[in-house]
Amino acid sequence: MLAAAGDLLLAEGMAGFTFERVSAISGASRTTLHKWWPSRGALAAEAYFRTVESTLAFPDTGDIAADLTEQLLAFVRLVTGTTAGRVIAELIGSSQTDPELAAAYREHYSAPRRALAVAAVEAARDRGQVRVDVDAEAVVDQLWGACYHRLLIPDQPLTEAFARTLVDQLVHGLRTREITPS
Amino acid sequence: MLAAAGDLLLAEGMAGFTFERVSAISGASRTTLHKWWPSRGALAAEAYFRTVESTLAFPDTGDIAADLTEQLLAFVRLVTGTTAGRVIAELIGSSQTDPELAAAYREHYSAPRRALAVAAVEAARDRGQVRVDVDAEAVVDQLWGACYHRLLIPDQPLTEAFARTLVDQLVHGLRTREITPS
């Protein structure tokens, strides 16, 4: 059922995503759908997560900069190369005025994905690859958050080169290379 | 007129922001409003910008880390300490499905503010305070974009401590302090 709902969502965006359409293509009754999901937004958030989950696995090669780059590139390719980008932008947009969608989005998508990235950064810290006082949660905002910023407010393009720059600038810092960090 | 519209927007959010209400409080006729703004979203974006503009001036003390921190803290205080945070989240949310609002938001708010931050970073680069190959546009996404990420998808809190961490991690980088950057 969620697979069918996810296909509909990616094909038509939120505009064509209704309980009626999901019921028609999945065979589940509207009563059943309403029983499990409080709103079409909540259903859309969970369907989106299930559909893109497999493409967003977090690699672990032991090299944190390489792993962050690889995962960020996979994310950028998903949101720029498929209809997933428009759908996720609409989900985040609608979540600003739909509390049930916002809760479902965080529970099924953003919180678990954030946790995977935080765990990877903390493992790198424990291996001595990043500074001991790293704020792993803030790293997520400075990499993925930066990409969402360009997705939602497209003043500048969201590209693979941009993703690589994000990792480079954050890992190495902005200071002039000749100066040793204090 | 824009000042009156901005006051209404901050008081009631997008839900109470209509051409009719703006006409009633400003004295401008609805015909006039429609002539100048193609949609209520476009009017809201411009009214928002005019209202918060003065609180978001970019400081220039010659110390880029201090200036970035000060400006980012002013932004965090505005969006967490006043109703502006909810309004800007609703404007960005609505802009995902309202092209006229999206265009007005970029023209009157996000693009000019981005340009101010980019100019500050490039001036710091020319003074030798940051690396010569700095991508100033990406810096905006790694500081302000990171804050918008927490505003729009509140998995983690948007605080002044977070803003300070963003600048610290980006300026100094994530690498272990004992290792000199290559």
Side-chain angles (χ1 to χ4, degrees):
Chain A
M1 206 294 303
L2 282 170
D7 290 345
L8 174 65
L9 185 63
L10 290 185
E12 308 206 2
M14 284 295 284
F17 190 83
T18 62
F19 276 121
E20 190 169 6
R21 295 286 304 280
V22 174
S23 175
I25 62 166
S26 71
S29 74
R30 291 178 62 180
T31 306
T32 300
L33 295 177
H34 280 286
K35 181 180 168 188
W36 289 98
W37 290 278
S39 69
R40 75 183 187 108
L43 174 54
E46 191 167 346
Y48 178 82
F49 171 67
R50 293 291 179 89
T51 304
V52 304
E53 191 174 16
S54 64
T55 67
L56 295 173
F58 212 101
D60 180 11
T61 66
D63 176 343
I64 187 63
D67 289 350
L68 290 172
T69 301
E70 198 51 49
Q71 221 286 342
L72 206 57
L73 288 174
F75 174 68
V76 169
R77 288 181 196 121
L78 176 71
V79 300
T80 62
T82 75
T83 53
R86 190 81 323 257
V87 169
I88 200 169
E90 289 180 6
L91 287 174
I92 296 169
S94 298
S95 77
Q96 302 312 312
T97 49
D98 180 341
E100 287 162 344
L101 169 53
Y105 183 89
R106 291 205 299 274
E107 178 185 347
H108 294 292
Y109 188 68
S110 60
R113 292 205 56 229
R114 176 180 273 276
L116 288 175
V118 165
V121 172
E122 291 182 343
R125 177 200 60 200
D126 295 344
R127 290 193 304 263
Q129 289 191 329
V130 297
R131 53 197 262 194
V132 294
D133 64 343
V134 66
D135 184 329
E137 295 284 359
V139 169
V140 175
D141 300 292
Q142 295 189 280
L143 298 178
W144 284 268
C147 291
Y148 279 107
H149 190 227
R150 291 200 174 188
L151 178 70
L152 296 168
I153 310 170
D155 285 312
Q156 291 286 318
L158 177 54
T159 64
E160 294 190 23
F162 171 67
R164 293 181 190 279
T165 296
L166 293 176
V167 176
D168 175 58
Q169 291 198 157
L170 185 59
V171 169
H172 295 287
L174 296 185
R175 285 193 163 188
T176 308
R177 292 301 179 88
E178 289 71 32
I179 297 171
T180 304
S182 58
Chain B
M1 207 293 303
L2 281 170
D7 290 345
L8 174 65
L9 184 63
L10 290 184
E12 308 205 3
M14 283 295 284
F17 190 84
T18 62
F19 276 119
E20 190 168 6
R21 295 286 304 280
V22 174
S23 175
I25 60 167
S26 71
S29 74
R30 290 178 62 180
T31 305
T32 300
L33 295 177
H34 279 286
K35 181 179 168 190
W36 290 98
W37 290 279
S39 69
R40 76 181 186 108
L43 174 54
E46 191 167 348
Y48 178 83
F49 172 67
R50 294 291 178 90
T51 304
V52 303
E53 191 174 15
S54 64
T55 67
L56 295 174
F58 212 102
D60 181 10
T61 66
D63 176 344
I64 186 64
D67 289 349
L68 290 172
T69 301
E70 198 51 50
Q71 221 285 342
L72 205 58
L73 287 174
F75 173 69
V76 168
R77 288 181 195 121
L78 175 72
V79 299
T80 62
T82 74
T83 53
R86 190 82 320 262
V87 169
I88 201 169
E90 289 180 5
L91 287 175
I92 297 169
S94 298
S95 78
Q96 303 312 313
T97 49
D98 180 341
E100 286 162 345
L101 168 52
Y105 183 89
R106 291 205 299 275
E107 178 185 348
H108 295 292
Y109 186 69
S110 60
R113 292 205 55 229
R114 176 181 274 275
L116 289 175
V118 165
V121 172
E122 291 182 343
R125 177 200 61 200
D126 295 344
R127 291 194 304 264
Q129 288 190 329
V130 297
R131 52 197 263 196
V132 294
D133 64 342
V134 66
D135 184 327
E137 295 283 358
V139 169
V140 176
D141 300 291
Q142 295 189 279
L143 298 179
W144 284 268
C147 291
Y148 279 107
H149 189 227
R150 290 200 174 188
L151 178 69
L152 296 168
I153 310 171
D155 285 311
Q156 290 286 318
L158 178 54
T159 64
E160 294 190 22
F162 171 66
R164 293 181 191 280
T165 296
L166 292 177
V167 176
D168 175 59
Q169 291 198 157
L170 185 60
V171 169
H172 295 286
L174 297 184
R175 285 192 164 187
T176 309
R177 293 301 179 90
E178 288 70 32
I179 298 172
T180 303
S182 60

